[in-house]
Amino acid sequence: MLNQQNIISEIDETMEKYCDDCFVKQQLRKDRGKPGAHQFCIESCTVGEQLQFLGQELLKMYSKE
């Protein structure tokens, strides 16, 4: 079972590993601007989907408190 600290660590590690140097994100920021790149990450990127899942799990923990 994931706890709050594990989820936050996994989010940080995922973003460092995949998002920080993402060529697609960098190119989309040039072409579409920051909002366009962000929208792609939310709607189309598999890493973005995983981050959303982890965020939902974190929200579930906060709602239990």
Side-chain angles (χ1 to χ4, degrees):
M1 178 161 179
L2 294 173
N3 66 32
Q4 180 179 349
Q5 192 60 39
N6 288 348
I7 293 173
I8 292 171
S9 293
E10 191 168 339
I11 289 171
D12 288 341
E13 289 171 12
T14 301
M15 290 187 72
E16 285 177 19
K17 185 174 182 180
Y18 297 106
C19 301
D20 289 349
D21 296 322
C22 178
F23 174 76
V24 174
K25 179 179 148 187
Q26 291 173 4
Q27 190 61 44
L28 286 173
R29 282 186 88 163
K30 290 178 186 174
D31 296 343
R32 301 183 192 172
K34 189 175 181 178
H38 183 74
Q39 194 67 32
F40 169 82
C41 294
I42 291 171
E43 293 179 351
S44 303
C45 180
T46 56
V47 175
E49 290 175 12
Q50 178 65 20
L51 291 170
Q52 287 182 62
F53 170 77
L54 292 169
Q56 291 299 320
E57 292 299 306
L58 195 57
L59 285 173
K60 288 177 188 176
M61 296 187 122
Y62 281 117
S63 64
K64 290 180 182 177
E65 292 177 353

